[in-house]
Amino acid sequence: MLSQNPFGSVNVLCLLYTTDTKEEVRTAVRTALEAGYRHIDTAYNYKNEDAIGEVLQEFLKSGKVKREELFIVTKLPMIHMEPKLVKHSIDISLKNLQLDYLDLYLIHFPVPFEYDGNDENTFPETESGGWKAAEKFDLLGTWKAMEELMDLKLTRSIGVSNFSISQVERICKVAKYKPVTNQVECHIYWPQKDMFEALEKLGVTITAYAPIGSPGRPQFLKGNGDQIALLEDPVIQRLSQKYGKTPAQILLRNLLQRGIIVIPKSVTPERIRSNIQVFDFSLTKPEMDEIDGIKFSQQYFYKMGAMFPTHPERPW
C-alpha cells in the first residue's frame, strides 16, 4: 500500500490535467490497479472522469476489484460552487465515473468562477484572457451544500483542496462534518510545516499533490521555466544512490514518514509501478532531519493563486 490515512488503507494515484489523452488515462488506471493501487484521484476539471469510469467498470465487472476496496476521489469545479449547483455537479461526476457514491469529494479551489450555464466551460475567461472569478461568493454556504451530499450518501467523506489555514479554520467552526483533508502542494521545497501543524490540531489531514515537483504540469503553470527541478536536488540524489531507489521514491518516502498522504501524478506505466515501491526501506532520522533542513523554497503552482490578485478568497 502507498499510504495509511484516516479513510482506510489505500493506494494513491493522481490523474491530472486535460493534456493527458483519454487513452493515456485508461492505460494509467489499468496499470495502477494491476500494480495494487486502490486510490484514484481525479477532478471534474480534468475532463477524464469518463475514461476512469470505463476502466473502473471493467475491473469491477470482471471481479478483479471490489467497490469497497476502491477509494475514489473527485472535485467540485469552481463553476459549480454556488450552493444550489453542488449536487448538480456531483451527479455529473458520478455519472461519468459510473459509480453510486464517492469515497471523498473535495472543493477544488476556494475561488468560485462565474457559471454561464455551460457545464463544459470550466475555466470561463474575461475579455483580457484571465479567468472570470465570481463577484458573489459564499464559501460556508458551499460547504453546507457539500455536507448535504454526505446526508444523501453520495459521498462518504468531504474535504477541500488549495485552502489556506484560515479558510479551513472558518469551515471547521461551523461544520457539521469537518473536512477530512486539505489537498495542497507539498514537497521538500514547499513543506507546508505551518499548515501541517495547524491542521493536525483541527484533526484534518494533508494530502500532498506535486510531491515529486510535478514535472508534467501544464506549460502555463511552469512560468518562465527557470524553476529548479525537485528530482535533481543534491540531497535527494545522494540518498537515491545510497538506497538504490529513484529520486521520486525518496521524495515520496520522506512525505510518508512525515505522516502525509501522497498522490504522485503519472501516466507512464513504468513510473506508476515504481512509485508504489516505497515500503521496503526507511529513511533514518538524521536523513529526515537533513531533508527538513533544506532552506531552498519554491512553489510550482504559484501561478494558480497569482491569477486572482484581489479576490477575497485567494488562498495564497
Side-chain angles (χ1 to χ4, degrees):
M1 66 192 79
L2 193 55
S3 68
Q4 299 253 342
N5 61 55
F7 323 131
S9 299
V10 297
N11 305 132
V12 181
L13 169 68
C14 187
L15 293 165
L16 300 178
Y17 318 143
T18 56
T19 52
D20 296 332
T21 68
K22 295 295 179 68
E23 191 52 42
E24 284 178 322
V25 171
R26 294 186 193 97
T27 299
V29 178
R30 289 190 186 101
T31 301
L33 292 175
E34 288 167 354
Y37 290 80
R38 293 296 179 265
H39 179 162
I40 307 297
D41 183 286
T42 186
Y44 186 107
N45 286 343
Y46 305 157
K47 299 183 184 296
N48 59 19
E49 292 173 328
D50 55 345
I52 293 171
E54 290 175 23
V55 179
L56 291 179
Q57 283 303 307
E58 176 186 317
F59 274 70
L60 288 167
K61 289 178 179 178
S62 68
K64 292 180 180 179
V65 297
K66 297 178 181 179
R67 176 63 184 94
E68 57 269 24
E69 296 173 339
L70 298 172
F71 193 87
I72 308 302
V73 185
T74 194
K75 307 176 186 76
L76 176 74
M78 290 79 88
I79 59 168
H80 290 158
M81 286 176 65
E82 192 175 346
K84 68 180 182 181
L85 293 173
V86 172
K87 183 178 181 298
H88 167 74
S89 197
I90 197 174
D91 284 342
I92 295 173
S93 289
L94 287 171
K95 182 179 179 181
N96 287 337
L97 291 164
Q98 301 185 51
L99 298 174
D100 296 324
Y101 67 90
L102 298 172
D103 296 281
L104 174 61
Y105 196 46
L106 304 175
I107 300 177
H108 200 155
F109 199 80
V111 177
F113 286 176
E114 288 286 353
Y115 177 60
D116 62 6
N118 180 1
D119 293 321
E120 296 298 316
N121 187 19
T122 50
F123 292 93
E125 294 186 356
T126 63
E127 292 182 0
S128 61
W131 290 340
K132 195 173 184 179
E135 294 183 5
K136 295 182 180 180
F137 56 92
D138 180 10
L139 202 57
L140 297 183
T142 302
W143 186 254
K144 290 298 181 183
M146 293 282 285
E147 292 179 324
E148 291 175 8
L149 304 179
M150 291 274 291
D151 292 331
L152 292 170
K153 301 188 185 305
L154 296 176
T155 183
R156 292 188 169 183
S157 57
I158 50 179
V160 296
S161 179
N162 296 300
F163 275 46
S164 67
I165 294 172
S166 63
Q167 287 170 331
V168 178
E169 289 174 338
R170 279 164 52 201
I171 287 175
C172 286
K173 286 179 181 178
V174 302
K176 175 182 178 181
Y177 305 116
K178 288 198 306 183
V180 296
T181 199
N182 185 16
Q183 188 178 117
V184 294
E185 178 179 348
C186 183
H187 45 74
I188 63 169
Y189 291 164
W190 202 253
Q192 296 281 13
K193 295 177 184 178
D194 291 343
M195 177 76 72
F196 184 87
E197 183 178 340
L199 296 193
E200 190 173 37
K201 292 178 182 178
L202 295 170
V204 179
T205 65
I206 283 184
T207 300
Y209 70 75
I212 59 176
S214 194
R217 67 193 181 284
Q219 187 59 43
F220 79 93
L221 288 173
K222 293 184 178 181
N224 57 18
D226 62 356
Q227 293 177 319
I228 295 175
L230 198 65
L231 295 168
E232 296 175 7
D233 182 87
V235 173
I236 300 303
Q237 286 283 332
R238 177 166 48 78
L239 291 173
S240 172
Q241 293 177 7
K242 173 185 174 180
Y243 286 101
K245 290 289 184 177
T246 67
Q249 290 168 331
I250 299 296
L251 290 165
L252 295 173
R253 185 69 206 179
N254 169 254
L255 289 175
L256 289 171
Q257 287 185 215
R258 286 183 58 198
I260 292 174
I261 303 160
V262 292
I263 46 174
K265 184 267 178 185
S266 182
V267 293
T268 306
E270 182 180 350
R271 291 174 188 158
I272 290 171
R273 297 185 191 100
S274 174
N275 287 342
I276 203 173
Q277 303 301 320
V278 292
F279 294 97
D280 56 353
F281 78 106
S282 295
L283 299 172
T284 66
K285 186 179 185 306
E287 290 165 346
M288 289 290 290
D289 290 342
E290 183 180 15
I291 294 173
D292 183 61
I294 292 174
K295 301 300 183 185
F296 182 73
S297 180
Q298 179 171 262
Q299 185 181 15
Y300 292 100
F301 284 79
Y302 72 96
K303 278 187 168 289
M304 287 169 54
M307 292 177 182
F308 315 101
T310 61
H311 198 282
E313 296 292 0
R314 177 191 175 192
W316 65 78

